[in-house]
Amino acid sequence: ANYHDLFASDRLFGVSLYNTGYYVLFFVPLQIALSLALALLLNLQVHGIPIYRTLFYIPSIVPAVANSILWIWIFQPQWGLLNYGLSLLGIERPLWLSSIEWSKPSLIIMSLWGSGGAMIIFLAGLQGIPQHLYEAAELDGANRWRRFWHVTIPMLTPTTFFVLVLGVIGSFQVFTQAYIMTGGGPANSTLFYMLYLYRRAFVFQNMGYA
């Protein structure tokens, strides 16, 4: 009977799957791209690079609750930091978490703030690439872009796959941000699968169905 209700009459179950799928589809590729870009920058041999690496990694170890409270202030429509910056540029200010259209993108933007863990993994992968491969490619006339495309990307394939798997698993478990920042709203636009499971189990006390 639980399975019958789940697939036949529970509209919110489908909504939660759609919201979660949307989050996974956009967050995971963006996280991989951003983490790889940061890792490439932090792999450069410049003065003070350990400090930069630390600064970019710190947001990923800030507790999720503290992160969420910080970003509630950043996304605040009237006096939030983000909309204040957009107003200075003359750009129309979205309602962010209060808007059905922008609520999921807002949580995705916030989650990208914590890409430091994936960045460290990519950085380790970059430092494991033998330097003589770059030297050989340079002797063959490969420019910076060709060295990146034909040496860096292929050598990072196992690292990228590892980050992809971790990203997909973590994205399907998204819960804390939505629970604290939106509660699943507005209009269930951030009702993710784990949040709906939590509601069924601990709000409605329907443990068997959950």
Side-chain angles (χ1 to χ4, degrees):
N2 281 335
Y3 280 107
H4 177 271
D5 292 343
L6 188 69
F7 293 109
S9 60
D10 192 344
R11 184 187 65 85
L12 290 180
F13 174 65
V15 171
S16 70
L17 289 184
Y18 169 77
N19 290 337
T20 307
Y22 181 102
Y23 183 89
V24 173
L25 182 65
F26 286 97
F27 170 69
V28 174
L30 288 173
Q31 183 196 36
I32 291 175
L34 178 62
S35 302
L36 178 56
L38 290 174
L40 289 168
L41 287 174
L42 296 177
N43 196 40
L44 299 175
Q45 299 303 315
V46 297
H47 182 68
I49 197 66
I51 298 174
Y52 293 116
R53 290 173 181 172
T54 302
L55 291 176
F56 277 100
Y57 180 68
I58 284 175
S60 66
I61 59 175
V62 174
V65 175
N67 249 340
S68 300
I69 294 172
L70 169 66
W71 280 89
I72 287 174
W73 171 68
I74 292 174
F75 283 132
Q76 214 287 331
Q78 280 75 40
W79 40 262
L81 183 63
L82 189 54
N83 273 359
Y84 175 73
L86 292 177
S87 67
L88 294 178
L89 298 174
I91 300 174
E92 183 180 355
R93 299 177 296 176
L95 294 177
W96 299 114
L97 298 172
S98 302
S99 165
I100 296 175
E101 293 78 15
W102 283 98
S103 55
K104 285 190 286 291
S106 299
L107 294 181
I108 291 171
I109 293 170
M110 176 214 163
S111 299
L112 291 174
W113 166 263
S115 297
M119 177 199 73
I120 290 295
I121 296 173
F122 273 122
L123 185 60
L126 286 171
Q127 294 182 351
I129 299 176
Q131 193 62 32
H132 66 81
L133 295 178
Y134 291 109
E135 295 170 357
E138 192 172 0
L139 288 174
D140 286 338
N143 57 25
R144 188 183 298 273
W145 167 251
R146 287 187 175 274
R147 292 198 298 272
F148 171 74
W149 189 254
H150 294 290
V151 178
T152 305
I153 293 297
M155 294 298 292
L156 280 180
T157 301
T159 306
T160 305
F161 181 70
F162 180 67
V163 172
L164 174 66
V165 171
L166 288 183
V168 170
I169 292 172
S171 299
F172 272 110
Q173 295 176 339
V174 59
F175 170 78
T176 307
Q177 303 96 309
Y179 178 69
I180 294 174
M181 299 174 72
T182 64
N188 294 317
S189 60
T190 57
L191 181 65
F192 297 117
Y193 172 79
M194 291 298 293
L195 180 56
Y196 187 47
L197 188 152
Y198 168 83
R199 277 190 186 177
R200 282 291 180 175
F202 300 108
V203 177
F204 302 125
Q205 296 296 314
N206 195 349
M207 197 66 68
Y209 189 70

